[in-house]
Amino acid sequence: MRLVIDIGNTFVKAAVYEDSTLLERFSFKADVFQNGFKKIRDSYPNCLDWILASVGLVSAEQLAQFFPDVRIHTLDRQTKFPYINAYKTPDTLGIDRMILASGAVLKFPDQARLIIDAGTCITYDFIDAQNVYHGGAISPGVRMRYQALHHFTAKLPLLEASETKEFIGNSTAASIHAGVVMGVVHEMDGFINQYRLAHENIIIILTGGDTDFLAKRLKNTIFAHSNFLLESLNQTFQYQIQND
């Protein structure tokens, strides 16, 4: 039994696995991580292997300080991944993107993969059928676009993401929703179409916090999995064990 942990800037997502079987998922704010992990610890006292990937402020050292009886395994750039990294600036590549690429290779062998992670930012990561990671793209996420329109203008209101299928907004609020939501959808569909033109046998994986909100709006067929990073963490750790 193991706990896989994805620490972001705002939220911590975690899941307990028995080998490849998901037992339970958790999510809590990073600023209350002690209470969040204590609840997991109380529920699963025999779960002593914690696999960690962090792009946030909570570190392995902090977890070890509060939970000294667990074994913390950190996945970082020195981790052995099942692909060749052809990124020209590998030291700047986020560990979350590297782990998502690893999960895509392990789950979908012998084909090209495009991973779209719709979170604070939207990242696009491409791994070819020969398991070479090439890179992709980064753009503002849904919430960031709403915030930018409000922050960088004098009068536009700050709105929350809203259900809309209209591309013509008949009010300021409707225009913002159309610009943000439909803008993201058209961006994603455009990228997907471009990759499919270049690579016939390609799987499109959509993940991240806005997965459910965006998946039903895309014209293209995709594999939608909002917790693909947690699954990828577990798969990558199993890969390490098998290839040590």
Side-chain angles (χ1 to χ4, degrees):
M1 188 182 298
R2 65 180 65 99
L3 176 70
V4 297
I5 306 164
D6 165 31
I7 298 180
N9 292 310
T10 305
F11 284 95
V12 174
K13 295 182 180 179
V16 176
Y17 280 89
E18 185 73 63
D19 294 326
S20 296
T21 302
L22 173 66
L23 301 183
E24 190 172 357
R25 284 195 300 264
F26 304 88
S27 179
F28 45 90
K29 286 191 173 182
D31 58 3
V32 293
F33 75 93
Q34 297 174 42
N35 291 334
F37 283 115
K38 186 179 184 303
K39 290 179 181 178
I40 298 173
R41 190 77 180 85
D42 292 343
S43 298
Y44 295 92
N46 296 322
C47 184
L48 298 178
D49 285 297
W50 292 13
I51 294 84
L52 171 68
S54 176
V55 295
L57 298 178
V58 182
S59 67
E61 289 74 21
Q62 287 174 293
L63 290 181
Q65 179 183 355
F66 290 107
F67 304 96
D69 57 334
V70 303
R71 296 179 292 269
I72 299 176
H73 312 269
T74 302
L75 300 187
D76 54 26
R77 292 188 180 88
Q78 282 66 54
T79 298
K80 189 174 185 179
F81 291 102
Y83 56 83
I84 298 167
N85 192 345
Y87 207 57
K88 287 188 176 180
T89 57
D91 290 341
T92 68
L93 184 60
I95 187 62
D96 50 344
R97 296 175 70 188
M98 297 176 72
I99 291 170
L100 284 171
S102 177
V105 168
L106 295 170
K107 189 174 182 67
F108 301 102
D110 305 319
Q111 64 184 117
R113 311 92 170 167
L114 175 64
I115 310 146
I116 305 173
D117 185 5
T120 302
C121 293
I122 301 171
T123 58
Y124 301 81
D125 293 286
F126 174 69
I127 312 98
D128 66 25
Q130 289 71 46
N131 297 336
V132 177
Y133 175 88
H134 293 273
I138 304 173
S139 69
V142 172
R143 184 175 297 275
M144 189 182 294
R145 297 184 193 211
Y146 280 110
Q147 291 172 337
L149 287 173
H150 173 67
H151 180 75
F152 292 108
T153 63
K155 295 184 178 180
L156 291 182
L158 177 59
L159 304 179
E160 294 292 326
S162 174
E163 299 283 338
T164 182
K165 294 182 180 178
E166 300 297 328
F167 65 93
I168 301 176
N170 59 5
S171 67
T172 297
S175 296
I176 292 173
H177 290 312
V180 172
V181 177
M182 299 309 297
V184 169
V185 169
H186 288 307
E187 174 190 300
M188 287 185 175
D189 273 325
F191 270 115
I192 293 170
N193 289 336
Q194 194 168 17
Y195 275 96
R196 281 192 167 146
L197 284 173
H199 304 276
E200 183 176 348
N201 182 28
I202 187 170
I203 179 78
I204 311 297
I205 305 161
L206 176 64
T207 190
D210 287 327
T211 297
D212 296 336
F213 180 74
L214 294 169
K216 57 191 175 185
R217 293 172 168 79
L218 296 174
K219 294 179 181 178
N220 283 279
T221 302
I222 57 171
F223 172 75
H225 188 336
S226 60
N227 292 293
F228 190 65
L229 181 57
L230 293 176
E231 182 178 302
S232 297
L233 270 167
N234 188 53
Q235 288 181 316
T236 302
F237 184 72
Q238 290 179 304
Y239 175 81
Q240 306 303 309
I241 296 172
Q242 296 164 3
N243 290 274
D244 274 346

